[in-house]
Amino acid sequence: MSNAPRADLTGWTCAPFTGGGYTHDVYRRDPDTPGPGVVLIPEMPGLTPEVLALGNHLVDNGFTVASPSLYGTPGAASQRPGMVPVMVRGCVTKEFAAFATDKKRPVTYFLRALARDLNESTPGKGVGIIGQCWSGGFALAAAVDDVVLAPVLSQPSLPIGLTAAQRRDPGLSEDELTVVQRRAAEEGLCALGLRFSEDRLSPGERFQTLRDRLGDAFEVIEIDSRPGNSGGFGKMAHSVLTLEVRDVEGQQAYRARERVVQFLKERLTV
């Protein structure tokens, strides 16, 4: 059993949302005092207890969080017998285009619509969006929309890196990346990326592509997971903001999560 923070659906409301030609249930939680909006996209295999704990942490820090259920069963454990079919469906669903390079993924149209809707009901200058693992690159593609001011890419894993071209691919189309690059140059848009150094599911070549295109507008946190690393992370360490976090001040994934909170406050607070 993971020692990562875990939570259930207590305090979350659920309602269907339609946008970009798709309809998904969206789980939302508001702080006591209305705060800026953050779209929290779940990692595979869905809105797990660890993802919900991350959402609660954001709410505790003053953000209104909307988390779409794109796959899996909300609240179900991250490691369970039913997770394999969920992942297989994710690989073949056109909405995610798991293997395609230079691809506009249809799910991002839904996420942009959700970001606009969340922006209309929350204070702040715009909204943040966090993608993780399967959904990591979706966050940057959503930043084509002007309301998205703080995209966070945690261990982005699509397209699945079977070839060198797939490993270099930034996870969004050239047209979308060009818009993000323009926003970075003209509007000061910044993105935050996180990964473990030895994570083959989220290849370093992908971050290098984004560094080459966005320069200083792409802030990178890369946590050492080499053998003998000081944090004790295993060679399979992957989920920076969920499975690998421990509520111990100074732990590297804990610090990365705190930087995400700080980044969102810097970019979204009026």
Side-chain angles (χ1 to χ4, degrees):
M1 180 69 69
S2 168
N3 291 319
R6 304 172 83 247
D8 57 25
L9 290 165
T10 301
W12 294 79
T13 60
C14 177
F17 178 79
T18 299
Y22 292 89
T23 299
H24 294 287
D25 283 343
V26 173
Y27 288 78
R28 175 166 169 156
R29 189 168 184 190
D30 294 79
D32 293 335
T33 301
V38 175
V39 176
L40 175 61
I41 321 172
E43 58 192 340
M44 261 308 169
L47 273 169
T48 64
E50 292 84 5
V51 173
L52 290 167
L54 173 59
N56 286 347
H57 184 74
L58 295 170
V59 172
D60 290 343
N61 277 274
F63 298 102
T64 295
V65 177
S67 194
S69 180
L70 302 179
Y71 24 72
T73 302
S78 56
Q79 298 180 5
R80 61 184 192 275
M83 68 178 288
V84 175
V86 173
M87 297 182 72
V88 171
R89 285 195 295 272
C91 286
V92 300
T93 301
K94 292 181 179 179
E95 190 176 2
F96 307 127
F99 295 93
T101 58
D102 189 13
K103 179 67 174 178
K104 291 182 178 178
R105 290 172 166 79
V107 67
T108 61
Y109 296 102
F110 170 85
L111 294 169
R112 290 170 200 163
L114 178 59
R116 290 192 296 271
D117 182 75
L118 182 61
N119 185 56
E120 291 175 0
S121 65
T122 53
K125 298 184 292 186
V127 301
I129 184 164
I130 300 173
Q132 307 171 85
C133 177
W134 202 258
S135 66
F138 302 168
L140 193 60
V144 167
D145 197 299
D146 290 347
V147 303
V148 176
L149 300 183
V152 177
L153 299 71
S154 191
Q155 74 274 357
S157 304
L158 295 188
I160 296 172
L162 301 180
T163 67
Q166 288 169 329
R167 290 190 291 273
R168 290 193 303 269
D169 190 272
L172 64 166
S173 71
E174 175 60 28
D175 288 346
E176 290 168 323
L177 184 53
T178 297
V179 173
V180 171
Q181 191 173 14
R182 176 192 58 76
R183 289 194 64 201
E186 298 178 3
E187 303 171 20
L189 177 73
C190 290
L192 175 61
L194 309 98
R195 68 180 295 271
F196 284 99
S197 64
E198 309 308 300
D199 185 3
R200 294 184 178 181
L201 295 176
S202 181
E205 296 96 321
R206 184 161 297 149
F207 272 21
Q208 188 58 55
T209 295
L210 292 171
R211 284 192 189 101
D212 292 343
R213 294 295 297 272
L214 300 178
D216 291 341
F218 185 51
E219 177 185 344
V220 173
I221 296 175
E222 189 172 80
I223 299 175
D224 184 12
S225 57
R226 294 173 298 177
N229 67 83
S230 62
F233 296 106
K235 63 180 181 180
M236 302 298 289
H238 176 64
S239 298
V240 177
L241 299 176
T242 54
L243 292 175
E244 298 298 338
V245 170
R246 302 293 180 266
D247 277 328
V248 177
E249 191 168 351
Q251 193 243 14
Q252 291 96 322
Y254 176 99
R255 291 204 306 263
R257 188 184 63 179
E258 293 310 287
R259 174 57 190 145
V260 168
V261 170
Q262 181 186 37
F263 175 75
L264 293 170
K265 288 182 177 180
E266 290 170 353
R267 309 303 297 182
L268 304 179
T269 303
V270 175

